Amino acid sequence: MGGPGWLTGKGFVGFNDIGQDGGSIAVGGRTDLRKEINDIKFTASITDASARDYEAAPWLKDSIITAEKRLNDQSSVGLGYDFGAQNAFVSVAGETTVNNKPLTARGTWFQKGNSIRTEADVQIDSRQKLWGTYTFNTPANEVNSTYVNLKERQGFIIAPFTLPTATAAATYTIEKDGYVIEPQYNFHTSSAYLSVGRNKFWRKNHVKAHYAFNEQVAMVDFTYNENKSNDKPLAKAYIKANAGQQGFGPLSVGFIVDKTIDV
């Protein structure tokens, strides 16, 4: 008998630079296949996001396989291979408490470039959370396309809001009465971001506004069923535009759907 969530499909369609020379259409998608054998979770991902406008080229058409085993309730180990980038990797994750605060940490070694990516998530209290990441031994301006494609297993990344894939970054999250405020900073590019959102403002819907200060880009996204608590798909719609000293526009809009099949 198979485990839950053995097949996930994600689809993306975006209409970029509307009103500017007719604009353009971007289309992407990915499929994740999962199977658990003897407590080892195997995942194979196939992605084609080559029309997307973030900086993970040239390995946007890619396939990655991983195997992850839970060692105990607090730790796990995994290994994988990226066929597009020809990049092997090994990761270790663990959970503990520091000064009575839950801490989740992960370290991943990538064979290509011999780089090590670390990240940690600290739950300060019931309302506050701090996340940070740092990558060792990474040449300047090098983007780890393997990690980008691994991160997109959790959902598509929309430029310029690519902080989850940054080599040195931090996010502070505070939530109160259903409202969320998230200041973020990319230390590698000296870029600041701010997100303000409202959870469950209507049924299972979430709305969040974002602003990238260096790039002077604003975005609003609407998400349905973010935690995928039932058999309905996650759906996200967004609209973004330049918004700064040079004025407003042109607009880009997009729609993302993420469906998991349980057996």
Side-chain angles (χ1 to χ4, degrees):
M1 181 176 180
W6 70 276
L7 174 63
T8 299
K10 297 180 176 70
F12 168 88
V13 59
F15 302 89
N16 298 325
D17 299 334
I18 298 172
Q20 187 177 65
D21 298 327
S24 61
I25 299 177
V27 179
R30 68 178 294 126
T31 300
D32 298 330
L33 297 168
R34 296 182 179 90
K35 179 67 175 178
E36 189 166 313
I37 303 174
N38 297 329
D39 297 325
I40 301 176
K41 184 170 68 175
F42 296 90
T43 306
S45 300
I46 302 173
T47 184
D48 180 2
S50 53
R52 299 286 306 290
D53 60 346
Y54 64 85
E55 64 272 21
W59 307 114
L60 290 173
K61 293 185 177 180
D62 207 355
S63 56
I64 294 178
I65 59 170
T66 58
E68 185 174 11
K69 181 175 177 58
R70 194 83 181 174
L71 300 178
N72 51 47
D73 290 341
Q74 288 80 37
S75 61
S76 63
V77 62
L79 54 87
Y81 188 77
D82 181 337
F83 289 91
Q86 299 181 350
N87 192 6
F89 53 93
V90 179
S91 63
V92 178
E95 302 172 6
T96 186
T97 57
V98 178
N99 294 329
N100 295 320
K101 295 176 174 57
L103 169 68
T104 302
R106 176 181 292 272
T108 305
W109 170 80
F110 294 93
Q111 161 259 325
K112 201 165 189 177
N114 195 30
S115 62
I116 299 175
R117 179 183 178 89
T118 61
E119 59 182 300
D121 199 317
V122 181
Q123 191 73 41
I124 300 173
D125 55 33
S126 60
R127 298 189 301 119
Q128 301 178 85
K129 184 171 66 175
L130 184 64
W131 170 86
T133 184
Y134 186 80
T135 302
F136 297 88
N137 198 28
T138 298
N141 301 320
E142 177 183 302
V143 174
N144 189 331
S145 60
T146 299
Y147 187 78
V148 170
N149 281 313
L150 284 172
K151 202 68 178 176
E152 286 218 332
R153 284 180 174 176
Q154 303 170 19
F156 283 110
I157 299 164
I158 304 168
F161 302 95
T162 58
L163 197 77
T165 65
T167 56
T171 298
Y172 170 71
T173 303
I174 183 168
E175 182 175 358
K176 184 177 182 181
D177 299 329
Y179 291 91
V180 179
I181 300 175
E182 283 185 334
Q184 305 174 319
Y185 195 76
N186 186 331
F187 295 96
H188 178 68
T189 60
S190 300
S191 302
Y193 307 86
L194 178 65
S195 299
V196 179
R198 177 77 165 95
N199 290 334
K200 299 180 181 178
F201 77 101
W202 181 68
R203 296 185 181 179
K204 291 181 178 295
N205 293 275
H206 303 247
V207 61
K208 186 175 283 188
H210 316 261
Y211 190 73
F213 290 91
N214 282 28
E215 298 87 349
Q216 296 187 351
V217 173
M219 181 176 74
V220 178
D221 66 64
F222 303 88
T223 305
Y224 172 78
N225 200 25
E226 186 166 22
N227 296 321
K228 294 191 281 189
S229 56
N230 53 37
D231 62 352
K232 295 182 179 180
L234 177 148
K236 181 189 291 287
Y238 71 86
I239 180 170
K240 69 172 182 174
N242 296 329
Q245 296 178 350
Q246 303 302 318
F248 183 82
L251 294 176
S252 295
V253 299
F255 183 76
I256 298 165
V257 63
D258 182 343
K259 173 64 176 175
T260 300
I261 298 176
D262 297 329
V263 293

